[in-house]
Amino acid sequence: MNKIVLLGAPGAGKGTISELLIKNQKLVHISVGDILRQNIKDNTDLGKLANKYMLAGNLLPDDIIIKLVEHRLSCKDCKNNFLLDGYPRTIKQAEALDKFNKPTYVFNLKVDINVVIERLTGRRICNKCNSIFHVKNLKNEICPSCDCKLNKRDDDKYEVVKNRIDVYFKETAPLIDYYKNNKQLIEINALGNPNDVYSQIEKFLK
Ligand code: AMP
């Protein structure tokens, strides 16, 4: 059973490591951020609400997000193998998850906060294949995999990034102690290249 939670500050590499995990392991990937961005694209009621919070770099209310994740987790394919990327982000969400379907591994991707700012403000996303790149590794702003123009997320602008980091310290960082106390936390050095980070995680999986 691999029921995985990836914790980490914005820009710690949760999205990139998730890509490697789902490529190499049988896991259902649940990214709350991706679900919300899809809702924004589709102009749903949830998308309209999410847009306001995301543009400011704030978290959506717990009750909405908990319901959203529990709905997805209640599908048969998630029973024994899931990868939660960006959930939980508050103690209330973590408590709800423990009651609903307790994770078997909680990996905390540890990075220096200065690195995070540089990673996020230089991050580019392909809206077609969802691949993530950094401007310093690109010759131009075209996706090397599918030739589409790459995009910068609205919430990767400097001012928003600063608020997302403040919110992380206030709301999400306390989860490190929460999972430490539950003896579930596995610390991962996430400063290296994604393949090294992935290998550290892979060792633990069944
Ligand atoms: P991410 O793609 O994980 O960086 O998430 C982007 C944004 O989506 C966050 O800044 C929040 O506004 C919202 N979001 C994602 N996950 C959660 C969550 N677990 N709880 C509340 N809001 C979330």
Side-chain angles (χ1 to χ4, degrees):
M1 244 195 286
N2 287 323
K3 299 192 286 183
I4 302 173
V5 163
L6 276 190
L7 288 183
K14 296 187 293 297
T16 306
I17 299 308
S18 293
E19 274 181 36
L20 290 172
L21 278 163
I22 51 171
K23 203 166 109 194
N24 295 297
Q25 310 280 336
K26 256 200 188 158
L27 291 165
V28 177
H29 181 209
I30 305 171
S31 158
V32 174
D34 285 351
I35 296 173
L36 297 175
R37 280 184 286 277
Q38 189 58 47
N39 274 273
I40 293 174
K41 259 195 220 159
D42 297 342
N43 204 25
T44 64
D45 287 345
L46 174 63
K48 284 177 200 154
L49 179 83
N51 202 28
K52 286 188 206 141
Y53 285 90
M54 289 168 84
L55 282 178
N58 290 324
L59 297 180
L60 274 79
D62 280 330
D63 50 346
I64 294 175
I65 298 296
I66 290 170
K67 231 191 259 165
L68 180 79
V69 172
E70 288 186 352
H71 178 70
R72 182 63 186 96
L73 279 180
S74 59
C75 299
K76 235 182 170 176
D77 59 344
C78 300
K79 197 167 167 230
N80 295 322
N81 293 291
F82 59 74
L83 167 63
L84 282 168
D85 152 15
Y87 184 92
R89 266 173 146 119
T90 64
I91 297 281
K92 208 170 155 195
Q93 293 177 10
E95 287 170 347
L97 179 63
D98 276 346
K99 278 198 203 122
F100 198 79
N101 194 346
K102 201 177 166 87
T104 48
Y105 301 101
V106 179
F107 297 106
N108 182 36
L109 304 184
K110 273 174 49 170
V111 280
D112 185 321
I113 214 67
N114 295 317
V115 172
V116 155
I117 297 182
E118 191 248 334
R119 277 189 185 176
L120 288 180
T121 50
R123 179 162 71 175
R124 298 293 181 270
I125 312 276
C126 174
N127 283 349
K128 191 170 172 208
C129 69
N130 286 327
S131 298
I132 304 164
F133 305 93
H134 194 279
V135 279
K136 71 177 181 211
N137 302 319
L138 292 165
K139 286 194 206 99
N140 52 36
E141 303 225 353
I142 302 294
C143 175
S145 317
C146 56
D147 269 353
C148 300
K149 191 178 171 328
L150 294 170
N151 296 286
K152 185 176 169 110
R153 274 171 46 173
D154 287 335
D155 59 349
D156 280 346
K157 289 178 185 145
Y158 182 71
E159 284 310 314
V160 184
V161 164
K162 267 184 23 197
N163 189 47
R164 287 167 67 199
I165 290 170
D166 287 349
V167 169
Y168 165 77
F169 279 114
K170 196 165 152 242
E171 304 280 355
T172 310
L175 290 179
I176 295 173
D177 278 341
Y178 175 89
Y179 284 117
K180 240 186 224 167
N181 292 338
N182 286 358
K183 308 221 173 332
Q184 277 184 293
L185 192 80
I186 302 167
E187 296 277 20
I188 300 291
N189 174 356
L191 273 179
N193 79 55
N195 288 324
D196 293 341
V197 179
Y198 172 74
S199 324
Q200 292 178 61
I201 293 178
E202 192 188 26
K203 280 190 261 172
F204 290 94
L205 304 180
K206 299 211 173 88

